[in-house]
Amino acid sequence: MRWLLLRVWMLCWLMLVWVLLWGSISAANIIAGLTVAVVITVLLPLPAVPVEGRVHPLSLLRLATQVAVWLVMSSFQMAWLAVRPGPLPVNAVLRAHLAIKSDLVLALGVNIINLTPGTIVLEIDQTRRLIYVHVVDVGSDRAINRFHSQITTLQRLLVAAFERESDWRPAVNKEGA
């Protein structure tokens, strides 16, 4: 039943994207969107993503709130850097460790970092769970410590929302391990 609901959701989502791309709701766009969605899901199926934890709604709300605060604050910081007089800010590539077990949650964390103005993940070392992030305006120890503090907070919020030890169930390896 869950598999069927997921497939229906995927078809509806792809159809909605198609309609939004065309910019008007019409029977032809809906039918064409459903047709494209079926072709995509049948001819280009995505591999199953193992879900190994459980979602905790209150912790997810805390994560979303904190990310929203970071987005607003960093947007203002980037705007200020763009208009302020003076020398250009110092930029650097910083390394951070994310002790996150699930590749899916790791990808979510990387996307949150990429969405935050002034940061972009350049490389992910999946094995060691290291990320290399280009960060704007790290000309002081305080700015570097703020970045590492943000990464630590992000990791703590992701674990609380998706990877609590009590709910963790590693995916079964289908390759016969």
Side-chain angles (χ1 to χ4, degrees):
M1 184 63 171
R2 181 178 176 185
W3 179 86
L4 181 62
L5 287 174
L6 186 60
R7 291 293 176 190
V8 169
W9 168 250
M10 176 92 68
L11 291 174
C12 290
W13 176 253
L14 289 171
M15 184 266 310
L16 176 66
V17 169
W18 180 267
V19 170
L20 290 173
L21 286 172
W22 281 99
S24 66
I25 299 174
S26 68
N29 278 344
I30 292 172
I31 292 170
L34 281 173
T35 303
V36 169
V38 168
V39 168
I40 287 172
T41 56
V42 170
L43 296 180
L44 305 168
L46 293 172
V49 176
V51 178
E52 299 161 321
R54 199 177 117 209
V55 176
H56 297 274
L58 190 57
S59 296
L60 184 60
L61 180 63
R62 276 189 226 116
L63 172 66
T65 303
Q66 184 62 58
V67 169
V69 168
W70 286 335
L71 292 176
V72 170
M73 287 175 41
S74 59
S75 293
F76 280 116
Q77 289 169 349
M78 291 301 105
W80 172 245
L81 288 173
V83 298
R84 75 176 166 95
L88 294 174
V90 175
N91 304 321
V93 175
L94 302 177
R95 181 180 62 201
H97 181 261
L98 286 175
I100 293 176
K101 300 172 191 170
S102 166
D103 286 342
L104 184 62
V105 177
L106 178 64
L108 177 62
V110 166
N111 281 315
I112 289 170
I113 295 167
N114 283 338
L115 283 174
T116 306
T119 60
I120 188 160
V121 176
L122 301 174
E123 185 177 344
I124 304 167
D125 182 343
Q126 267 185 294
T127 308
R128 297 185 305 167
R129 296 301 201 221
L130 291 174
I131 57 172
Y132 296 87
V133 185
H134 180 270
V135 184
V136 175
D137 195 23
V138 290
S140 68
D141 287 338
R142 182 176 172 229
I144 293 171
N145 290 337
R146 186 174 55 236
F147 166 77
H148 286 292
S149 173
Q150 182 176 345
I151 295 296
T152 301
T153 302
L154 175 62
Q155 175 180 288
R156 182 180 46 79
L157 291 169
L158 286 169
V159 168
F162 303 108
E163 292 190 348
R164 291 183 186 175
E165 200 62 45
S166 60
D167 299 326
W168 185 253
R169 309 233 188 302
V172 178
N173 186 355
K174 293 183 180 181
E175 295 174 3

